[in-house]
Amino acid sequence: MTRSDVNGKIWSRTAKGAAMPLAILAVVMFMMVPVPAIMLDIGFVTNIMISLAVVMIALNAAKPLDFSSFPTVLLFATLLRLALNVASTRVVLVDGHTGSDAAGHVIEAFGNFMIGGDYVVGIFVFAILMIINLMVITKGAGRVSEVSARFTLDAMPGKQMAIDADLNAGLLTAEEAKLRRAEIATEADFYGSMDGASKFVKGDAVAGILILVINIVGGIILGVVSHGLDIGQAAQTYVLLAIGDALVAQVPALLLSIAAAAIVTRVKSEDDLGGQISSQFSVGKAWFPVAGILTFLGVLPGMPHMIILPAAGISWFIALKLRKASQVAAEVPAEMPVPENPAHIEWADVSDGAVLGLEIGYGLINLVDERKDAPLIGRITGIRRQLSRELGFVVPMIRVKDNLALGANQYRITIAGAVVGEDEIWPEELLALDSGDLTGTIAGRRAMDPTFGLEAVWIDTSMRSEAVVAGYTVVDPSTVVATHLNHLIVNNAAEMFGMDEAKKLLDTLKEVAPQLADGLTPQPLTLAQVTALCRLLLAEGIPLKDFRRIAEAMVAVARPDMSVDLLCEAVRQKIGSLIIQNIVPVKMPLPVITLDGELEGLLAQAMRVAGDSQHPIEPALGQRLIEQVSAAAQPLMAQARSFAIVTSPVARRALARLFKPHLPETPVLSFLEIPDGKPVEVVAVVGNESRINRVERLAA
């Protein structure tokens, strides 16, 4: 970018910033300082130009927020018009006796062209315009603004809850949810501002009447007393100027009122107002009755046949064209079905290659029907996109199919062919979840939330507001399924990760760090070992989105004689900061539950005695450890606090397997996985009880 381009942008930004202050100074100048007639002409033409531009922008807006600055524009346009009224009043009263062009050519033109120089006609024309503006357009727009503002504010909590539900279901990212919340707040501010701005329009109309009266009465008095005119001549001169002045101001006021009414009555659409109206009027069935009625009226005696019959002909033409267009759009080229050979069997008939599957009963078909917007399909797509970013690999496609073996309202989730979750939902109802702070109860079908096991009630859609007031969290059926699916995918991410996914991770790594990728595989680790390591990390809730850091750790610790389990433990110690950041924020201390020191030593001794056993902890000892750790974790879980169980490196893997079924969301860390600078908050120490009977006599 050249220096001249930079200077040009600076000047452009400076000019835009100075435009509004200069406009305010101009308004003040018109109010306080006498201005010549030519300045009045420029001001009136500018006022009309701005009003026309505002109307065009309002008509081309797809939704009200596309013109969110309208309330402020309306304020300044009203101030400009009132300033011009004050300036023109000064000129009319001071120089009105000199002729009809005393206040400029624009006022003279409006006085002569629109009312033919007859001030009596002008008074009636002005009165009609005032009635249209004040009693019809402005009053209606003000009422719509008031109702829209109230309804928008009342709907804000429900919209915020819908955004939170979409965010929890993975349909929105945090950034998208933030933008949606900002849009809702802007919408509420806009309608609130429009409710107040409509009062400007009404006040401007009333001010127009008062200014007209002042100009007429003051002009006649000045003409008779100061300039020696008779009453008839003074009335002819000053009333004509006053009416012209009023009409010059009233036309822009009427345009702004129309723009305000168009903005507040708009319904959100992808098209502008013209496109929305034209698409909705393009219905051939509606035009045929219009054409028939006009034809009937056109042949009646005494009717203006030369006007009505052409209109009828145009209506017939439009109706026929629209019907023909709809018939062409409805024609879909049909393909001849290929007859199936019953003796021919494909591999697809006996195997299902989908890793993720969602089976639904026939009563839930509407949730995935594209003709009815398929709300569940959209949420599933959002879940895949969000989880792919979080887990670090592309989550496989989710195959949705109906299963007649299921109940009408049942669904089933499968991963790698195994059923991992199933439940029952009611598509025409809502699920009200017990948030724990209920102020009342509601009647409905009792149930349990399939994801978190919370008590819940299926209620009719009409009871949403009642449930929200009672403290329930209300979600729709598609959100229930989507949240359940999201939870199961996260907990079973390792089952979806295979060699193909590992190969794609390595290919991506090769693009950004080719030397690191070459140093990782095929030596010292094979593709199978990399896959197994990644599956172990995913199984313990460690995402692969920072795969470069994980690959560096793999290269640093890999030795040919190490088992995959030992490699995983060594890699975990290298990436401890990545593990910790998924538990608590950087600046917060890590809450931990630890084991008594002597118990740790006895457990380590038991591990060495057990050797390579997958379950080295004696069952009775394991049960007592589970009970004590669960009791210590219960207060933290009730407060929804994230925490970790910390133990020695020797016992970490065995304890992680032990606690996984009972505390699936709780990570088990070794001391060596916690970075040196990370503060730790010990919330509980589990042990003693005679060191749990000397670790059940060293695991018998």
Side-chain angles (χ1 to χ4, degrees):
M1 183 179 293
T2 64
R3 186 179 184 85
S4 60
D5 293 335
V6 173
N7 292 334
K9 287 189 174 183
I10 294 175
W11 278 108
S12 176
R13 191 180 300 115
T14 304
K16 290 179 181 178
M20 190 56 68
L22 290 176
I24 297 298
L25 289 176
V27 169
V28 174
M29 182 187 72
F30 277 115
M31 285 185 177
M32 306 300 296
V33 180
V35 295
I38 185 63
M39 289 296 296
L40 284 179
D41 288 342
I42 295 173
F44 283 127
V45 172
T46 302
N47 190 19
I48 295 173
M49 178 184 68
I50 293 173
S51 301
L52 287 171
V54 169
V55 172
M56 293 302 106
I57 295 172
L59 295 179
N60 284 280
K63 57 183 182 294
L65 289 185
D66 287 346
F67 198 4
S68 57
S69 62
F70 181 75
T72 306
V73 172
L74 185 62
L75 167 64
F76 285 113
T78 302
L79 288 177
L80 174 60
R81 188 165 55 257
L82 292 175
L84 289 171
N85 281 140
V86 172
S88 61
T89 297
R90 183 186 298 108
V91 174
V92 167
L93 295 179
V94 173
D95 300 324
H97 64 283
T98 61
S100 59
D101 61 347
H105 296 292
V106 175
I107 292 178
E108 181 184 19
F110 269 76
N112 291 325
F113 177 73
M114 292 190 66
I115 60 177
D118 190 336
Y119 65 86
V120 178
V121 175
I123 291 176
F124 286 112
V125 171
F126 176 78
I128 293 172
L129 288 176
M130 287 298 301
I131 292 171
I132 293 173
N133 189 11
L134 184 61
M135 301 303 297
V136 180
I137 301 176
T138 302
K139 186 175 182 181
R143 179 58 178 164
V144 172
S145 299
E146 179 183 352
V147 173
S148 298
R150 186 171 70 248
F151 284 180
T152 301
L153 291 174
D154 291 344
M156 277 189 69
K159 292 180 179 179
Q160 294 283 6
M161 292 179 63
I163 293 174
D164 293 339
D166 288 344
L167 180 62
N168 294 333
L171 191 59
L172 295 175
T173 63
E175 292 77 12
E176 291 170 339
K178 184 177 180 181
L179 291 175
R180 288 273 296 276
R181 291 191 185 99
E183 183 178 356
I184 290 174
T186 303
E187 184 180 21
D189 293 342
F190 172 78
Y191 282 110
S193 299
M194 281 302 303
D195 185 24
S198 61
K199 305 301 187 293
F200 292 138
V201 180
K202 183 177 180 180
D204 178 43
V206 174
I209 298 175
L210 297 178
I211 291 172
L212 174 65
V213 173
I214 291 172
N215 280 342
I216 292 176
V217 174
I220 292 175
I221 293 174
L222 286 173
V224 173
V225 175
S226 300
H227 303 295
L229 302 177
D230 56 50
I231 294 180
Q233 188 177 2
Q236 177 70 29
T237 301
Y238 285 98
V239 173
L240 189 62
L241 285 172
I243 292 295
D245 179 28
L247 290 176
V248 169
Q250 196 59 36
V251 170
L254 184 61
L255 292 175
L256 288 179
S257 299
I258 294 172
I263 281 289
V264 298
T265 56
R266 288 284 283 120
V267 177
K268 289 184 179 180
S269 172
E270 295 181 357
D271 301 322
D272 57 20
L273 185 59
Q276 187 178 4
I277 292 175
S278 62
S279 63
Q280 294 173 1
F281 269 76
S282 300
V283 181
K285 293 180 179 179
W287 283 96
F288 279 107
V290 174
I293 293 171
L294 287 177
T295 303
F296 175 74
L297 293 176
V299 299
L300 289 178
M303 287 291 179
H305 309 295
M306 299 306 295
I307 297 176
I308 297 180
L309 288 178
I314 294 173
S315 299
W316 281 113
F317 175 77
I318 293 173
L320 292 172
K321 291 287 290 183
L322 291 176
R323 184 175 69 174
K324 183 177 180 181
S326 62
Q327 290 174 348
V328 171
E331 291 179 358
V332 179
E335 296 182 359
M336 293 297 293
V338 179
E340 295 183 359
N341 182 2
H344 184 69
I345 301 176
E346 296 284 352
W347 278 105
D349 298 328
V350 296
S351 64
D352 188 354
V355 177
L356 283 170
L358 174 62
E359 301 174 2
I360 59 175
Y362 66 86
L364 307 180
I365 297 296
N366 287 341
L367 295 180
V368 296
D369 190 350
E370 293 184 358
R371 294 171 297 180
K372 299 185 178 180
D373 295 332
L376 184 55
I377 297 298
R379 292 184 182 274
I380 289 174
T381 303
I383 287 172
R384 287 190 63 235
R385 183 185 303 112
Q386 179 70 13
L387 290 183
S388 296
R389 285 195 291 260
E390 292 179 358
L391 296 175
F393 68 95
V394 177
V395 174
M397 292 287 292
I398 302 172
R399 180 176 179 181
V400 182
K401 62 180 180 179
D402 60 325
N403 187 344
L404 296 179
L406 297 176
N409 295 332
Q410 286 184 320
Y411 68 90
R412 177 182 295 163
I413 300 170
T414 62
I415 296 180
V419 177
V420 294
E422 58 184 358
D423 211 282
E424 191 173 15
I425 62 172
W426 277 260
E428 304 299 329
E429 298 181 3
L430 299 172
L431 185 63
L433 302 174
D434 185 351
S435 60
D437 298 318
L438 300 183
T439 59
T441 59
I442 54 175
R445 186 183 291 105
R446 297 293 167 181
M448 296 291 289
D449 170 47
T451 305
F452 305 107
L454 302 176
E455 294 186 0
V457 184
W458 284 100
I459 61 174
D460 189 78
T461 54
S462 61
M463 299 174 62
R464 177 193 287 269
S465 300
E466 180 183 346
V468 172
V469 171
Y472 287 89
T473 300
V474 182
V475 294
D476 58 87
S478 59
T479 300
V480 174
V481 179
T483 305
H484 195 189
L485 181 63
N486 182 89
H487 183 73
L488 291 176
I489 291 175
V490 171
N491 288 343
N492 296 273
E495 302 299 325
M496 298 177 291
F497 191 89
M499 285 193 176
D500 291 329
E501 286 74 21
K503 183 64 168 61
K504 291 175 182 176
L505 273 180
L506 292 170
D507 291 342
T508 304
L509 179 66
K510 189 171 292 186
E511 294 177 2
V512 296
Q515 295 300 321
L516 176 60
D518 291 340
L520 175 63
T521 186
Q523 290 295 333
L525 298 178
T526 64
L527 178 61
Q529 289 175 310
V530 172
T531 304
L533 275 171
C534 291
R535 285 171 63 94
L536 287 175
L537 293 174
L538 289 170
E540 296 208 35
I542 302 172
L544 305 177
K545 58 183 178 181
D546 297 307
F547 185 68
R548 179 170 180 167
R549 174 82 177 275
I550 295 172
E552 290 173 348
M554 289 180 180
V555 171
V557 303
R559 293 200 308 270
D561 58 335
M562 292 179 68
S563 67
V564 174
D565 287 337
L566 292 178
L567 278 172
C568 181
E569 293 302 309
V571 168
R572 287 177 59 96
Q573 295 172 15
K574 290 288 185 179
I575 61 170
S577 58
L578 294 181
I579 300 174
I580 300 298
Q581 74 180 13
N582 292 321
I583 305 173
V584 293
V586 176
K587 296 183 179 180
M588 287 183 59
L590 173 66
V592 300
I593 296 175
T594 64
L595 303 183
D596 177 80
E598 188 172 346
L599 176 60
E600 285 276 8
L602 294 173
L603 276 174
Q605 185 178 349
M607 298 298 115
R608 286 190 289 270
V609 171
D612 294 333
S613 173
Q614 290 292 316
H615 301 284
I617 300 177
E618 195 272 334
L621 170 63
Q623 184 60 38
R624 295 172 70 176
L625 282 173
I626 290 169
E627 291 174 357
Q628 291 198 15
V629 171
S630 297
Q634 194 61 40
L636 296 171
M637 297 172 66
Q639 300 172 17
R641 293 182 62 188
S642 298
F643 64 98
I645 301 171
V646 177
T647 183
S648 65
V650 176
R652 194 212 71 82
R653 188 164 37 124
L655 290 177
R657 289 198 186 101
L658 177 66
F659 294 135
K660 179 72 172 178
H662 308 279
L663 298 168
E665 308 293 334
T666 304
V668 180
L669 310 178
S670 75
F671 300 129
L672 299 179
E673 294 171 13
I674 301 176
D676 294 337
K678 183 66 180 179
V680 174
E681 175 191 357
V682 179
V683 295
V685 178
V686 174
N688 211 336
E689 205 178 308
S690 296
R691 308 308 175 202
I692 309 194
N693 294 335
R694 297 293 295 179
V695 188
E696 299 295 332
R697 302 304 174 197
L698 286 179

